[in-house]
C-alpha cells in the first residue's frame, strides 16, 4: 500500500494511537489479500500491552454470523430446515413460542423479549456480569408472551441467537463451542478464534474491555477528565455473542465469503448467508444470516456491529 494512503489511514485512528488509552486493531483486505494491518493503543492499561493484529478481542454481536453459519452448515447436511418449529428441538420454550420457526430466529422476526434487556432492566444484572446458560433459559421460560406475531415485524435481539446455539447443540450432540471450532475455526485456520463458555478461561493476547467515563477535576473550573473503567465479561454461553478473534483471523473469515472452504465448499452456503429474510407479507428485511445488508455509494455492504 502507498505510504501516503497509510499515513491518511493512521490519521483516522490517531485518537487511539497513544501509550495510555485503550485502542483498536485494523485490517484492510483487497482482492482477498491483507494489504495493511496495524494495532493502535493498548490492549491492557495495567500491563501497558500494545494492540497488534494478533490481539484477541471479544466480538460481541459480530459473533452472530458464526452461529448463523453453523445453522447453514446443518441445513446443507439436511439435518434441519429453517421451516422447522423451534419446539421440535427445544422443549423449554413456553406456549407462546409454539409458532416460532428457525427462520424467525435467524432473521430476527421472532418477537421474543431480549434476554439481556430482561436481565439488565428487570433483574438488575449488568450484561457483563456472571450470566449462565441456565439463567438465560429461565428468562425465556418466564417470558410467556411475544412482542409481536412471528414474521410480522423485524426487531433486533439476542434471544433468538442464543436459542440457535441451543439447537445446534441438540442436533449435533456437541457443545456449541466445540461445533464452531471443528466446523469453522479449524477448517479456516483461525487459530486464535474460539467461543468462550468458561468465565475463568485464560485468553492469551487478550484485549481487556473498558468503558470510557468523563469525570470532573477538583479545580475551580469544572473540566471533564476522561478515565477508563475495566468492564466485566463473564457471560458463559455463546450464540448471540462470546466469540473471540483477532484481525488476522477475521481476514481468513472474510476471505471465505469469496472462496468458500466450509461444508460442500461451493458458493451456495455464502449465497444463503448473504440473502435477506422476508416478513410474512413478502417484504424483505435488511438482515441475513447474522449480518446486516445495506448500500453505500451504490455498492452493497455487509456488516455487523459488536
Amino acid at each position: 500500500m502507498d505510504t501516503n494512503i497509510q499515513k491518511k489511514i493512521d490519521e483516522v485512528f490517531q485518537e487511539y494511537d497513544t501509550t495510555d488509552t485503550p485502542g483498536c486493531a485494523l485490517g484492510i483486505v483487497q482482492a482477498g489479500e491483507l494489504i495493511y494491518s496495524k494495532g493502535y493503543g493498548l490492549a491492557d492499561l495495567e500491563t501497558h500491552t500494545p494492540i497488534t493484529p494478533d490481539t484477541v478481542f471479544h466480538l460481541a454481536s459480530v459473533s452472530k454470523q458464526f452461529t448463523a453459519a453453523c445453522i447453514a452448515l446443518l441445513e446443507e447436511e439436511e439435518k434441519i430446515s429453517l421451516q422447522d418449529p423451534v419446539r421440535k428441538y427445544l422443549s423449554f420454550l413456553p406456549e407462546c413460542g409454539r409458532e416460532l420457526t428457525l427462520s424467525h430466529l435467524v432473521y430476527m422476526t421472532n418477537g421474543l423479549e431480549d434476554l439481556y434487556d430482561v436481565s439488565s432492566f428487570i433483574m438488575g444484572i449488568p450484561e457483563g456480569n456472571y450470566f449462565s446458560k441456565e439463567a438465560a433459559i429461565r428468562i425465556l421460560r418466564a417470558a410467556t408472551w411475544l412482542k409481536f406475531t412471528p414474521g410480522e415485524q423485524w426487531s433486533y435481539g439476542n434471544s433468538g441467537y442464543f436459542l440457535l446455539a441451543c439447537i445446534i447443540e441438540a442436533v449435533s450432540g456437541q457443545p456449541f463451542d466445540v461445533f464452531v471450532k471443528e466446523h469453522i475455526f479449524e477448517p479456516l485456520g483461525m487459530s486464535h478464534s474460539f467461543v468462550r463458555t468458561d468465565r475463568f478461561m485464560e485468553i492469551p493476547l487478550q484485549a481487556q474491555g473498558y468503558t470510557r467515563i468523563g469525570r470532573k477535576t477538583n479545580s475551580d473550573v469544572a473540566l471533564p477528565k476522561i478515565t477508563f473503567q475495566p468492564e466485566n465479561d463473564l457471560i458463559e454461553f455463546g450464540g448471540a455473542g462470546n466469540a473471540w478473534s483477532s484481525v488476522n483471523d477475521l481476514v481468513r473469515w472474510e476471505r471465505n465469503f469469496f472462496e468458500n472452504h466450509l461444508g460442500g465448499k461451493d458458493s451456495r452456503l455464502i449465497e444463503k448467508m448473504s440473502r435477506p429474510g422476508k416478513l410474512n407479507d413478502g417484504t424483505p428485511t435488511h438482515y441475513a444470516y447474522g449480518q446486516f445488508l445495506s448500500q453505500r455509494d451504490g455498492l452493497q455492504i455487509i456488516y455487523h456491529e459488536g
Side-chain angles (χ1 to χ4, degrees):
M1 177 182 288
D2 183 89
T3 55
N4 289 328
I5 296 178
Q6 292 183 27
K7 183 178 179 181
K8 290 180 179 179
I9 292 171
D10 292 342
E11 288 174 354
V12 173
F13 292 91
Q14 187 173 4
E15 174 186 355
Y16 302 96
D17 196 18
T18 74
T19 59
D20 59 358
T21 61
C24 60
L26 165 74
I28 298 176
V29 177
Q30 185 178 55
E33 298 298 328
L34 181 66
I35 61 172
Y36 189 61
S37 61
K38 189 172 181 179
Y40 304 90
L42 298 180
D44 191 308
L45 298 183
E46 184 176 353
T47 62
H48 297 281
T49 304
I51 290 176
T52 75
D54 281 322
T55 298
V56 176
F57 292 83
H58 178 203
L59 301 183
S61 287
V62 175
S63 308
K64 290 181 172 67
Q65 57 199 274
F66 297 109
T67 306
C70 292
I71 289 293
L73 288 170
L74 290 175
E75 284 184 88
E76 188 174 79
E77 295 179 11
E78 298 185 347
K79 293 183 177 180
I80 60 172
S81 166
L82 283 199
Q83 306 314 312
D84 289 342
V86 176
R87 283 163 63 106
K88 176 180 178 179
Y89 305 103
L90 304 177
S91 61
F92 59 76
L93 277 189
E95 182 64 23
C96 68
R98 180 172 293 277
E99 296 183 10
L100 288 175
T101 66
L102 273 63
S103 177
H104 294 136
L105 303 186
V106 168
Y107 293 120
M108 296 193 181
T109 58
N110 49 73
L112 292 164
E113 291 287 352
D114 189 276
L115 58 91
Y116 292 156
D117 288 347
V118 173
S119 67
S120 297
F121 301 130
I122 297 178
M123 301 173 65
I125 304 173
E127 185 175 325
N129 282 18
Y130 172 57
F131 197 179
S132 67
K133 176 181 177 181
E134 291 71 26
I137 291 174
R138 286 198 299 271
I139 289 174
L140 292 174
R141 292 185 61 161
T144 56
W145 64 90
L146 296 178
K147 295 183 291 184
F148 52 81
T149 301
E152 292 295 311
Q153 299 180 40
W154 181 91
S155 179
Y156 186 83
N158 294 286
S159 297
Y161 272 72
F162 165 69
L163 292 176
L164 289 174
C166 294
I167 290 169
I168 290 165
E169 291 187 335
V171 173
S172 69
Q174 292 182 299
F176 174 66
D177 59 312
V178 174
F179 188 90
V180 180
K181 177 182 178 182
E182 292 185 358
H183 291 80
I184 296 180
F185 296 148
E186 287 184 345
L188 297 183
M190 299 172 67
S191 58
H192 291 107
S193 302
F194 55 89
V195 174
R196 194 189 71 177
T197 57
D198 176 4
R199 68 187 189 276
F200 298 114
M201 176 182 178
E202 293 187 9
I203 303 176
L205 307 176
Q206 176 184 359
Q208 167 66 47
Y210 294 92
T211 297
R212 181 162 54 185
I213 300 174
R215 292 180 180 171
K216 296 183 178 180
T217 64
N218 294 325
S219 64
D220 293 337
V221 180
L223 297 175
K225 180 182 179 181
I226 302 299
T227 59
F228 297 92
Q229 175 179 301
E231 274 291 304
N232 292 329
D233 203 346
L234 305 178
I235 295 175
E236 284 196 325
F237 56 85
N242 234 6
W244 295 67
S245 192
S246 66
V247 161
N248 283 337
D249 269 13
L250 289 175
V251 167
R252 297 174 181 272
W253 172 242
E254 193 270 350
R255 186 179 297 147
N256 195 65
F257 279 84
F258 300 93
E259 186 178 347
N260 178 44
H261 294 277
L262 302 178
K265 298 181 175 59
D266 60 28
S267 62
R268 286 177 294 177
L269 182 78
I270 303 305
E271 291 170 359
K272 176 188 287 287
M273 290 187 60
S274 306
R275 191 182 305 138
K278 293 182 180 180
L279 301 181
N280 291 342
D281 63 4
T283 302
T285 68
H286 58 293
Y287 202 77
Y289 274 55
Q291 304 174 111
F292 284 101
L293 307 176
S294 184
Q295 287 198 348
R296 182 178 297 166
D297 299 327
L299 298 175
Q300 183 184 30
I301 59 172
I302 301 176
Y303 69 98
H304 211 291
E305 299 173 351

